[in-house]
């Protein structure tokens, strides 16, 4: 009887020890991972005056990307709130169409910024200006942007409101030139969007573009918004388990 009792006691201790050991190992791995990430992190707000890209030698600074960071993070975070409101980071970590959503947002922001700077420069070269009606539309676009922005983003602005409004105005001038360009070429407007066929042919032939290697270290979804709990890839642990981390 004593032998059986000792055996049962040992099994109980083993059953208690294994889950504890798993939790301890998980905590160690998580802490090491976070420590590694913090060392490797590239903080956007600390590099605003650094060069993010060059376009035929023209410098595009990280501060010039501020509008695009705000825009992409606002858009994707609102998608994330629909995908899993209990843990919006799940959407950012989703692997979709060959890349993670966060990586797609980062690439899109840079591609849009380069496209808009090229179109703006061409607008200036061609003396493009906005008429009164277009200025009214611009003011409406600026107001819409600020109304759509998440409250958290307004508290984590990397640059001033005026700087963002100036970027939106430059985009409007570039869009006007793009309209002139597509009319001359006799193609659809979207052909000269940042992902358009005609635009990509144009930059391939006429532009040398270099992007700072550090740009790839930016973690979109953690620049003007933040997720302060453990994040699960694609929600595999489920909303109920995510709630426990709150």
């Amino acid at each position: 009887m004593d032998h059986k009792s000792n055996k049962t006691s040992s099994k109980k201790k083993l059953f208690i020890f294994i889950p504890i050991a798993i939790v301890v190992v998980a905590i160690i791995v998580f802490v090491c991972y976070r420590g590694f990430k913090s060392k490797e992190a590239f903080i956007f707000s600390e590099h605003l005056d650094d060069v993010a890209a060059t376009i035929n030698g023209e410098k595009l600074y990280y501060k010039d990307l501020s509008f695009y960071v705000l825009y992409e993070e606002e858009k994707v975070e609102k998608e994330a709130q629909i995908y899993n409101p209990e843990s919006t980071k799940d959407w950012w970590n989703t692997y979709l169409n060959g890349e993670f959503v966060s990586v797609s947002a980062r690439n899109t922001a840079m591609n849009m910024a380069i496209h808009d700077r090229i179109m703006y420069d061409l607008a200036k070269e061609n003396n493009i200006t906005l008429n009164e009606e277009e200025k009214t539309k611009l003011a409406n676009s600026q107001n819409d942007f600020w109304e759509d922005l998440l409250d958290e983003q307004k508290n984590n602005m990397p640059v001033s409101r005026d700087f963002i409004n100036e970027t939106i105005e430059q985009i409007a001038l570039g869009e006007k030139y793009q309209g002139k360009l597509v009319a001359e070429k006799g193609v659809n407007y979207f052909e000269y969007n940042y992902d358009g066929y005609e635009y990509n042919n144009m930059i391939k032939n006429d532009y040398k573009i270099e992007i700072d290697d550090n740009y790839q270290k930016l973690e979109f979804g953690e620049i003007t918004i933040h997720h302060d709990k453990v994040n699960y890839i694609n929600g595999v642990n489920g909303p109920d388990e995510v709630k426990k981390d709150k």
Side-chain angles (χ1 to χ4, degrees):
M1 292 289 289
D2 289 341
H3 179 68
K4 287 184 177 179
S5 176
N6 288 336
K7 212 169 182 181
T8 303
S9 177
S10 296
K11 284 183 178 179
K12 285 182 179 178
K13 289 178 181 177
L14 188 62
F15 285 136
I16 294 171
F17 174 76
I18 290 174
I20 292 174
I22 291 171
V23 170
V24 170
V25 170
I27 291 172
I28 292 171
V29 170
F30 177 72
V31 169
C32 290
Y33 173 70
R34 288 299 291 268
F36 174 76
K37 281 194 75 177
S38 64
K39 288 180 183 178
E40 291 295 311
F42 185 76
I43 309 302
F44 183 82
S45 60
E46 295 176 359
H47 297 275
L48 297 177
D49 292 321
D50 292 352
V51 176
T54 58
I55 307 166
N56 282 357
E58 180 187 1
K59 295 175 181 178
L60 192 67
Y61 296 94
Y62 277 95
K63 62 186 175 185
D64 298 322
L65 305 180
S66 297
F67 165 81
Y68 303 94
V69 171
L70 288 163
Y71 176 81
E72 280 298 304
E73 288 201 323
E74 178 262 321
K75 183 187 74 171
V76 177
E77 183 66 9
K78 285 182 177 177
E79 294 171 353
Q81 289 168 356
I82 297 171
Y83 178 77
N84 185 358
E86 299 293 343
S87 178
T88 55
K89 187 66 173 181
D90 287 354
W91 179 242
W92 288 95
N93 285 339
T94 298
Y95 197 71
L96 192 67
N97 298 325
E99 60 186 358
F100 290 103
V101 169
S102 58
V103 173
S104 177
R106 184 175 66 209
N107 291 338
T108 298
M110 177 58 81
N111 290 336
M112 289 174 66
I114 291 170
H115 167 274
D116 292 348
R117 175 57 63 90
I118 288 172
M119 291 298 168
Y120 171 65
D121 286 347
L122 290 170
K124 285 195 300 180
E125 288 175 19
N126 286 271
N127 299 314
I128 299 294
T129 58
L130 301 179
N131 59 36
E132 290 306 313
E133 182 182 350
E134 290 162 342
K135 287 178 182 178
T136 300
K137 287 181 180 178
L138 168 63
N140 290 336
S141 295
Q142 290 167 332
N143 289 333
D144 288 344
F145 174 79
W146 295 112
E147 287 178 6
D148 291 341
L149 208 61
L150 299 168
D151 289 339
E152 182 181 3
Q153 291 182 288
K154 293 173 184 175
N155 295 327
N156 292 308
M157 291 277 294
V159 293
S160 69
R161 187 184 180 101
D162 287 343
F163 191 93
I164 297 296
N165 279 336
E166 185 179 339
T167 301
I168 298 172
E169 183 176 356
Q170 291 174 0
I171 293 169
L173 286 164
E175 287 176 342
K176 183 169 182 178
Y177 176 79
Q178 184 176 336
K180 178 177 180 295
L181 184 63
V182 299
E184 291 172 352
K185 299 289 184 180
V187 296
N188 291 321
Y189 189 86
F190 66 81
E191 293 287 359
Y192 276 95
N193 284 347
Y194 77 91
D195 55 353
Y197 178 78
E198 294 291 342
Y199 165 73
N200 279 286
N201 276 341
M202 182 179 80
I203 62 171
K204 192 183 299 181
N205 296 325
D206 302 330
Y207 289 87
K208 181 182 179 182
I209 296 169
E210 296 177 325
I211 298 172
D212 178 33
D213 291 340
N214 287 318
Y215 184 73
Q216 300 306 315
K217 296 179 184 178
L218 284 177
E219 185 179 0
F220 268 59
E222 298 294 338
I223 301 175
T224 63
I225 56 174
H226 303 288
H227 302 87
D228 58 358
K229 59 187 177 185
V230 178
N231 307 310
Y232 297 102
I233 302 297
N234 294 344
V236 292
N237 290 72
D240 291 334
E241 294 187 25
V242 171
K243 286 178 185 176
K244 296 176 186 176
D245 296 308
K246 288 186 176 180

